């Protein structure tokens, strides 16, 4: 949908390109191929997150060409910029994982800087891996320009021993191999087929969770997110997105007109009904902050409690993103949310349609098994819960999709850092009933709030997934499944009570009562916290040290503050 307005299409770039005094700037740009005609048009920044270090974003350089073709066809001039990306999956279980969440802030900062510095009239961002998705949208919220975010799409599944597999199967295979349940040859064969091309991880892990959330929120084009990365239709999606961002510019619609409180609530409902990644809590809190919108972690709990789990998606379910695409994509999920009364239908999107109009136009493939009907939900409530207690006064996030447990009580096995916990799993020294506590992995204490996928997957692979619980002031991959609580706040490094827990202390996780407690009185917790000295961080200088000084609590989105 397009409309004519009095909005100045060169509302920013005119100051860069127009008039005799800007001759030097034009000279620079003409020298690299821009013409007078190009510079007379509005300038659209194409913020790319292409990189050669991972499959998730590997194809975005080629996709950007189609975006730029769409921008030119719509009468504007594209200028592409690139920023960084860190692969969660590749760095998982190493010190490199500390950089992942930090990269979200750097991505947002760098896009903001280039857009402000070069006075773009509009911005379209291309994202792929986990942190590039919220990082780009955080930048769009800060800039408040006419904006669109395009997701590069999911990888297709691999095939192993006659079944579809994703990278999650490889992580779990590590635990199965360590416990003698998988041979060397099987592990080698699996790793050779599990990631068969370009695109982000195939389940409802963090990338697909955030892509769905932002399509429901309205900053991404309707029907675009679940088109797979290597599907022939993705080029058309990219081209049309390029045309769309110019149309958004003509309509004078800015990012903060799209990113509203009702839109964020729609996104949270999509995360809940899809069994999505707990990382969505961090990222949507961060986007809300950048947009100047008050949003608390308790609102995630309220929405999830009122929203049934309908999507049978991995890691907790049976299907992948490509299956959701075949079933009807994100518009089908929006239609279900609308039917259950969990969608703010009047929220606007970059297409010019409301989310209600998109939901009404959704098509459903007959007999599709991925998105359940309202009268046959997988669970009556959504895929996450927020718990509080003497172990997490500021709250923690518990994932509920993919298992039936809502209560666990057991002795703590305490580890200062992920590596120590992983060593215990790999040497088969974790017992049934244990509560594995991993601390000093928070935003400041890590620093960088690493994901514990290697540990959780190894526990599942070793056959302990249904018999242990895990708590951490770090976070979990969207591929994590099992009874796991993350984002425990305050974190150990900032005096949180998780620092007080010792081996053998009895920990209780009770979803129905929204409680996470350790069997210690307040005085004992205070004494132990006062006596606790976190390990000395090896990251005393550079970007990680800077992040540790500036980052807020996980309960506030782990954003950097001045």
């Amino acid at each position: 949908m397009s409309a004519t307005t009095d909005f100045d299409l060169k509302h920013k770039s005119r100051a860069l390109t127009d008039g005799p005094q800007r001759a030097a700037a034009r000279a620079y740009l003409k020298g690299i191929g821009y013409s007078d005609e190009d510079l007379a048009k509005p300038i659209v920044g194409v913020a790319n997150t292409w990189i050669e270090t991972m499959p998730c974003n590997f194809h975005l350089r080629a996709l950007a060409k189609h975006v730029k073709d769409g921008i030119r066809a719509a009468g504007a001039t594209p200028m592409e910029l690139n920023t960084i990306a860190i692969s969660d999956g590749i760095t998982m279980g190493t010190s490199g994982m500390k950089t992942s969440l930090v990269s979200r802030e750097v991505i947002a900062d760098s896009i903001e800087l280039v857009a402000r510095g070069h006075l773009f009239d509009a911005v379209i961002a291309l994202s792929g891996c986990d942190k590039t998705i919220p990082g780009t949208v955080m930048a769009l919220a800060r800039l408040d320009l006419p904006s669109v975010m395009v997701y590069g799409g999911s990888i297709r599944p691999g095939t192993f021993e006659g079944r579809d597999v994703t990278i999650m199967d490889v992580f779990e295979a590590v635990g199965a191999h360590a416990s003698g349940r998988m041979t060397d040859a099987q592990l080698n064969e699996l790793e050779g087929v599990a990631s068969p091309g370009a695109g982000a991880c195939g389940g409802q892990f963090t990338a697909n969770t955030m892509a769905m959330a932002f399509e429901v929120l309205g900053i991404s084009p309707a029907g675009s997110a679940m088109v797979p990365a290597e599907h022939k239709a993705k080029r058309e999606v990219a081209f049309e997105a390029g045309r769309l961002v110019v149309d958004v510019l003509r309509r004078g619609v800015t990012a903060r007109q799209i990113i509203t409180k009702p839109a964020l609530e729609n996104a949270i409902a999509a995360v809940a009904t899809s069994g999505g990644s707990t990382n969505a809590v961090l990222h949507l809190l961060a986007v809300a902050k950048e947009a100047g919108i008050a949003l608390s972690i308790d609102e995630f709990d309220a929405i999830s409690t009122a929203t049934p789990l309908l999507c049978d998606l991995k890691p907790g379910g049976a299907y992948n993103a490509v299956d959701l695409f075949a079933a009807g994509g994100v518009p089908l999920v929006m239609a279900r949310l609308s039917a259950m009364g969990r969608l703010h239908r009047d929220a606007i999107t970059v297409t010019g349609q409301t989310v209600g109009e998109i939901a009404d136009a959704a098509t459903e493939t007959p007999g599709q098994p991925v998105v359940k009907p309202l009268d046959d939900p997988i669970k009556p409530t959504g895929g996450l819960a927020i718990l509080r207690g003497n172990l997490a006064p500021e709250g923690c996030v518990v994932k509920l999709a993919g298992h039936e447990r809502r209560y666990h009580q057991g002795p703590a096995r305490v580890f200062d850092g992920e590596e120590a916990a992983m060593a215990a799993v790999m040497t088969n020294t974790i017992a049934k009933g244990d509560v594995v506590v991993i601390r000093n992995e928070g935003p400041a204490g890590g620093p960088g709030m690493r994901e514990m996928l290697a540990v959780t997957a190894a526990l599942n692979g070793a056959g302990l997934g249904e018999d242990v619980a895990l708590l951490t002031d770090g976070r979990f991959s969207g591929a994590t499944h099992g009874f796991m609580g993350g984002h425990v706040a305050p974190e150990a490094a900032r005096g949180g009570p998780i620092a007080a827990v010792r081996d053998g202390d009895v920990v209780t996780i009770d979803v129905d009562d929204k409680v996470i407690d350790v069997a210690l009185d307040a005085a004992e917790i205070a004494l132990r916290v006062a006596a606790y000295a976190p390990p000395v961080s090896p990251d005393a200088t550079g970007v990680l040290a800077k992040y540790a000084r500036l980052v807020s609590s996980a309960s506030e989105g782990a954003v950097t503050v001045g």
Side-chain angles (χ1 to χ4, degrees):
M1 180 186 298
S2 61
T4 301
T5 73
D6 294 329
F7 191 77
D8 179 9
L9 302 189
K10 284 181 67 67
H11 64 118
K12 296 289 186 180
S13 67
R14 196 176 301 285
L16 190 82
T17 62
D18 289 12
Q21 74 278 15
R22 302 306 305 157
R26 292 193 297 272
Y28 279 123
L29 294 169
K30 287 179 179 180
I32 56 173
Y34 293 97
S35 66
D36 284 327
E37 182 182 7
D38 294 330
L39 300 179
K41 296 175 181 177
I43 296 175
V44 178
V46 180
N48 202 346
T49 56
W50 168 83
I51 201 165
E52 282 189 335
T53 60
M54 68 180 90
C56 317
N57 298 50
F58 183 80
H59 61 305
L60 295 184
R61 172 179 269 182
L63 207 62
K65 176 187 180 300
H66 301 289
V67 171
K68 292 189 286 186
D69 287 345
I71 291 169
R72 293 188 188 97
T77 297
M79 288 187 180
E80 187 177 359
L81 62 130
N82 208 70
T83 184
I84 65 163
I86 305 291
S87 168
D88 291 36
I90 292 172
T91 63
M92 194 75 66
T94 74
S95 62
M97 183 65 193
K98 294 181 179 182
T99 65
S100 171
L101 187 59
V102 180
S103 76
R104 186 189 71 177
E105 312 304 303
V106 176
I107 291 161
D109 289 351
S110 59
I111 294 172
E112 178 192 6
L113 285 170
V114 177
R116 288 186 185 279
H118 288 270
L119 299 178
F120 295 147
D121 299 302
V123 176
I124 183 168
L126 282 72
S127 68
C129 192
D130 298 2
K131 306 309 167 293
T132 65
I133 306 173
T136 56
V137 177
M138 289 165 66
L140 302 183
R142 291 180 191 176
L143 292 164
D144 198 26
L145 295 170
S147 305
V148 172
M149 190 278 283
V150 181
Y151 173 52
S154 174
I155 195 170
R156 65 185 186 276
T159 302
F160 175 70
E161 297 183 346
R163 60 186 174 90
D164 283 354
V165 291
T166 69
I167 200 69
M168 178 188 75
D169 295 273
V170 184
F171 280 103
E172 294 190 357
V174 173
H177 180 266
S179 62
R181 300 167 68 200
M182 178 174 274
T183 67
D184 290 345
Q186 286 176 307
L187 181 60
N188 182 261
E189 180 186 351
L190 176 60
E191 73 177 60
V193 299
S195 183
C201 299
Q204 191 67 347
F205 310 155
T206 303
N208 284 319
T209 296
M210 297 314 301
M212 175 185 288
F214 288 135
E215 184 175 321
V216 175
L217 182 145
I219 199 69
S220 294
S224 66
M226 290 304 119
V227 179
E230 296 182 320
H231 194 285
K232 61 183 180 181
K234 202 69 184 186
R235 288 172 292 180
E236 182 181 352
V237 166
F239 180 84
E240 291 302 326
R243 290 176 60 94
L244 176 62
V245 72
V246 181
D247 182 52
V248 175
L249 173 60
R250 288 198 175 99
R251 287 184 270 127
V253 177
T254 66
R256 292 194 190 185
Q257 291 174 268
I258 302 291
I259 305 169
T260 63
K261 185 65 174 285
L264 285 162
E265 291 174 351
N266 286 342
I268 295 168
V271 174
T273 201
S274 68
S277 169
T278 53
N279 283 314
V281 177
L282 281 178
H283 298 327
L284 292 175
L285 285 170
V287 169
K289 182 180 184 300
E290 302 294 0
I293 297 168
L295 183 68
S296 75
I297 60 169
D298 296 312
E299 293 175 78
F300 287 80
D301 189 79
I303 292 171
S304 185
T305 298
T307 307
L309 177 64
L310 296 181
C311 297
D312 190 13
L313 293 167
K314 291 185 177 184
Y319 298 100
N320 297 315
V322 293
D323 301 312
L324 177 57
F325 170 63
V330 175
L332 175 58
V333 177
M334 295 165 73
R336 290 287 197 273
L337 291 172
S338 180
M340 70 176 78
R342 301 305 308 162
L343 192 73
H344 296 288
R345 289 176 51 87
D346 292 337
I348 64 170
T349 75
V350 287
T351 66
Q353 300 168 288
T354 66
V355 291
E357 290 169 337
I358 293 168
D360 291 345
T363 58
E364 179 174 355
T365 300
Q368 62 82 24
V370 183
V371 184
K372 302 298 183 184
L374 293 186
D375 60 3
D376 185 28
I378 298 168
K379 290 186 177 184
T381 59
L384 58 86
I386 306 297
L387 309 187
R388 295 179 185 268
N390 68 0
L391 194 51
E394 293 180 8
C396 78
V397 185
V398 174
K399 191 165 189 176
L400 302 178
H403 64 90
E404 298 303 321
R405 289 189 294 162
R406 299 176 68 84
Y407 182 90
H408 184 99
Q409 185 177 75
R413 288 290 309 281
V414 183
F415 302 94
D416 283 316
E418 178 187 8
E419 286 82 1
M422 188 66 175
V425 177
M426 298 303 285
T427 54
N428 300 308
T429 58
I430 301 297
K432 290 184 178 182
D434 283 349
V435 179
V436 178
V437 178
I438 307 176
R439 63 192 178 195
N440 291 298
E441 292 288 2
M449 205 176 181
R450 288 191 292 180
E451 293 180 346
M452 304 294 111
L453 176 59
V455 176
T456 60
L459 285 169
N460 280 297
L464 290 169
E466 295 302 316
D467 300 300
V468 301
L470 189 149
L471 296 177
T472 180
D473 52 9
R475 57 195 177 90
F476 297 121
S477 165
T480 291
H481 61 109
F483 204 28
M484 315 291 178
H487 312 191
V488 171
E491 60 177 292
R494 288 185 170 167
I498 192 173
V501 184
R502 296 174 182 169
D503 282 350
D505 289 341
V506 176
V507 174
T508 301
I509 308 169
D510 189 334
V511 174
D512 292 331
D513 284 345
K514 307 290 186 185
V515 167
I516 180 166
D517 274 342
V518 59
L520 299 171
D521 62 33
E524 179 66 16
I525 289 173
L527 283 172
R528 291 189 186 183
V529 169
Y532 178 75
V536 176
S537 174
D539 304 299
T541 61
V543 66
L544 293 179
K546 183 190 302 183
Y547 180 84
R549 290 194 301 271
L550 297 177
V551 70
S552 70
S553 169
S555 65
E556 299 172 340
V559 294
T560 50
V561 293

